[in-house]
Amino acid sequence: MTSRPQMTTSVKKCKVLLVDDHPIVRQGLALLIDREADLSVCGEAEGAHTAFHAIETLKPDIVVLDISLSGPDGLDVLKEIRTKTAALPVLILSMHDESIYAERAMRAGANGYIMKQEATEKVLVAIRRILQGDVYLSDRLTNTMLQQFVRGAAPSKSSPLVNLTDRELEVFRLIGEGHGTRRIADELHLSVKTIESYQAHIKEKLALRNARELVQHAIEWTVNVNGGYTSSS
């Protein structure tokens, strides 16, 4: 965890905690936020343990949280935050397709979801809107959800990945990042047998025939620029 000295000014700045396992991303966000008159980065964390410690000691006004963390992912961190500090605003910042992750994040208690591909100004808009007590979603996702509400339709399942549970999706992501079964078990603090069970469920839900196809599809999804899932079958 990295804390930052707070400057004394006539304007009270809202404290932002950055949780991302990429130092370059954290540095870029910090430079963006710290130049604002009403916002200041109070600290940075690269994973779950340091994030919880930072929340407890730094008392941020909002957390900007990446989903793809090493070890427990951002959804796990978010769920734990909600059990400890239910009112703490959390903005999810992710490289992954919002059609797959945004609804999961909101169900887990996020106050907003924004993709890293968005313009940097949108991050500031999202932070301020959440600090005002609102929810932030992209215009595209908001429009999609409104159309579903008006039509009374069920959420679209354009990607097979929406059928995976949060834990299954986390395992699928880690497979795509090149982690073997033992390493995934260690990172998630689960048994190898449990991870193998998740892998079996993933193969069944995605209609994959064997472990080779599972690894292939997971890697294809991971390296896709937009985080989208494309079946090769």
Side-chain angles (χ1 to χ4, degrees):
M1 179 191 76
T2 304
S3 60
R4 290 166 170 263
Q6 301 300 298
M7 300 296 292
T8 302
T9 65
S10 58
V11 178
K12 181 183 181 299
K13 292 193 172 190
C14 292
K15 297 187 294 183
V16 182
L17 174 65
L18 304 178
V19 183
D20 194 300
D21 60 356
H22 294 91
I24 293 178
V25 174
R26 296 199 307 269
Q27 182 181 22
L29 286 171
L31 289 172
L32 173 71
I33 293 169
D34 280 339
R35 70 186 185 190
E36 298 299 304
D38 58 334
L39 302 172
S40 178
V41 174
C42 65
E44 302 174 15
E46 62 180 13
H49 178 72
T50 51
F52 298 138
H53 179 66
I55 290 170
E56 182 178 350
T57 58
L58 301 177
K59 308 296 183 184
D61 296 301
I62 185 172
V63 176
V64 178
L65 173 65
D66 185 22
I67 281 184
S68 300
L69 302 174
S70 56
D73 70 4
L75 289 180
D76 283 338
V77 173
L78 173 61
K79 292 172 185 177
E80 185 68 18
I81 289 174
R82 285 291 163 259
T83 65
K84 295 180 177 180
T85 52
L88 178 61
V90 178
L91 169 64
I92 295 294
L93 178 68
S94 177
M95 64 175 286
H96 294 297
D97 188 351
E98 63 186 4
S99 67
I100 296 172
Y101 273 100
E103 184 179 346
R104 296 172 187 268
M106 302 308 286
R107 285 201 309 264
N111 301 88
Y113 188 101
I114 187 170
M115 293 180 64
K116 290 181 178 179
Q117 294 91 330
E118 293 276 5
T120 55
E121 293 78 10
K122 291 287 186 68
V123 176
L124 299 175
V125 171
I127 290 174
R128 290 192 175 102
R129 190 172 297 177
I130 290 173
L131 286 170
Q132 292 170 358
D134 295 330
V135 169
Y136 181 88
L137 295 171
S138 72
D139 293 340
R140 183 184 70 170
L141 186 60
T142 299
N143 184 58
T144 298
M145 295 177 69
L146 284 173
Q147 288 183 2
Q148 291 171 355
F149 175 78
V150 170
R151 297 172 183 171
S156 173
K157 293 191 176 183
S158 58
S159 167
L161 292 183
V162 300
N163 296 316
L164 302 183
T165 65
D166 291 347
R167 183 66 81 189
E168 289 166 355
L169 185 58
E170 183 177 19
V171 171
F172 185 75
R173 175 181 64 81
L174 291 171
I175 292 171
E177 292 176 358
H179 300 330
T181 302
R182 169 64 66 180
R183 183 173 174 183
I184 295 173
D186 290 343
E187 288 202 18
L188 300 183
H189 306 293
L190 298 171
S191 69
V192 170
K193 185 175 181 180
T194 298
I195 299 303
E196 289 174 343
S197 177
Y198 283 129
Q199 291 170 339
H201 293 157
I202 295 168
K203 285 187 290 185
E204 180 180 357
K205 290 181 178 181
L206 302 185
L208 303 175
R209 292 171 293 184
N210 49 49
R212 183 188 61 81
E213 286 193 358
L214 173 59
V215 172
Q216 176 188 345
H217 282 69
I219 292 175
E220 287 178 358
W221 177 70
T222 301
V223 301
N224 187 287
V225 175
N226 294 318
Y229 175 88
T230 304
S231 173
S232 61
S233 60

